[in-house]
Structures are given as structure tokens and as C-alpha cells.
Amino acid sequence: MQGNPAFMQQAIELATQNVITGRGGPFGAVIVRDGQVLATGANCVTASNDPTAHAEVTAIRNACTQLGSFTLTGCEIYTSCEPCPMCLAAIYWARLGAIYYGSTAAEAAAAGFDDAFLYREVALPISDRTIPTINLLPEQAISSFNAWRQYAGRIDY
């Protein structure tokens, strides 16, 4: 599995143009299916005031809308930079078949986008994380999962 340099070049170009035009951070992503571009995305966190609007997440949203599906099985993502923990999780949830990336997480950190803290936080026990995380009303909260288990029209994902 080697990937297609033309799709990576497109992701890099999206990232660069995003900066040059002042629309957002230096990140671009392209989702491909059967050798064709299905959707693209660029970082628009500051433009949209949405901390989840990373290039990969935006591309996944666009591709899912295009397909009318919440999964992207059979697709690949080309991203200008190694995905952050949030984007990596979204890629797995979307069931993309491969990730091709340009710059590394270390290169992103050197440019001011350091995700190392997030990787460390996720690995910690809940009680040791920086943001207090408290289990509240677990006896009542389980009712949602019980309803889900009993719901005949559910779509498992």
C-alpha cells in the first residue's frame, strides 16, 4: 500500500491555500474512493469557531454527506499532517481503509500544533487527568443504553 502522490499533493495544496487565504490552519485532507476524490476538507477551527473543525473531520463530514452514510468503508484519507488524537478517532469511527499523511506530529509541534499532551491525557487513569472527570448519576444514565438495547429500529455502528 503506497498511496497516490497526486492525492497527497492535493491535501498539501489545500493546507497551504488555507493559510494563504486566511481561512484557517495549515491542514488539508482528501478522501478518495476507487481512485477518485470523494471529498476534501481544510482546517476551519478559527473561521467557524468550532474546535472540532479539523481538516480530517471536515473531510469526513463532507464525504459522509456525499455518500449518505456514516461509514467510509472502502475509502482512504490523505492528510497533509499526521492526524491528532481526535482526527485519528474520527478516522477509525468512519472506518477508512488507510491513512496517508505528509508532515509528522513532531513537525506540527514545531509549528505550534503540539498534540503530545492529548496523547498523554488519554493514557492516564480518569482520576489523574487534568480536566476533572466525575461519574455522575450512573444508575440513571444506564437507562439510555437499556433503551438502545431494546430499540428495534437501531442501526448498530
Side-chain angles (χ1 to χ4, degrees), residues 72-97:
L72 297 174
T73 303
C75 298
E76 303 172 330
I77 190 165
Y78 291 78
T79 179
S80 62
C81 185
E82 186 177 351
C84 75
M86 177 184 68
C87 292
L88 185 61
I91 289 165
Y92 273 89
W93 276 115
R95 296 180 182 90
L96 286 152

Side-chain angles (χ1 to χ4, degrees), residues 27 45 51-52 54 57 82-89 105 108-109 112-126 128-131:
F27 302 95
V45 169
T52 69
H54 290 200
V57 171
E82 186 177 351
C84 75
M86 177 184 68
C87 292
L88 185 61
F113 301 94
D114 193 353
D115 299 325
F117 168 75
L118 296 173
Y119 282 106
R120 287 191 304 273
E121 282 287 300
V122 169
L124 291 173
I126 290 174
D128 294 343
R129 293 182 183 161
T130 302
I131 297 175

Side-chain angles (χ1 to χ4, degrees), residues 4 7 10 12-13 19 22 27 32 35 46 76 82 85 88 90 98 102 123 129 134 141 146 149:
N4 184 324
F7 296 133
Q10 186 175 353
I12 294 165
E13 195 59 33
V19 173
F27 302 95
V32 175
T46 56
E76 303 172 330
E82 186 177 351
L88 185 61
R129 293 182 183 161
I134 298 99
N146 291 336
R149 285 185 201 93

Side-chain angles (χ1 to χ4, degrees), residues 2-17 26-32 35 37 39-41 56 76-83 98-104 107:
Q2 292 181 314
N4 184 324
F7 296 133
M8 180 57 68
Q9 185 59 49
Q10 186 175 353
I12 294 165
E13 195 59 33
L14 281 167
T16 304
Q17 285 303 307
F27 302 95
V30 175
I31 295 180
V32 175
V37 173
T40 64
E56 297 90 338
E76 303 172 330
I77 190 165
Y78 291 78
T79 179
S80 62
C81 185
E82 186 177 351
I99 303 167
Y100 300 98
Y101 66 94
S103 297
T104 66
E107 290 166 326

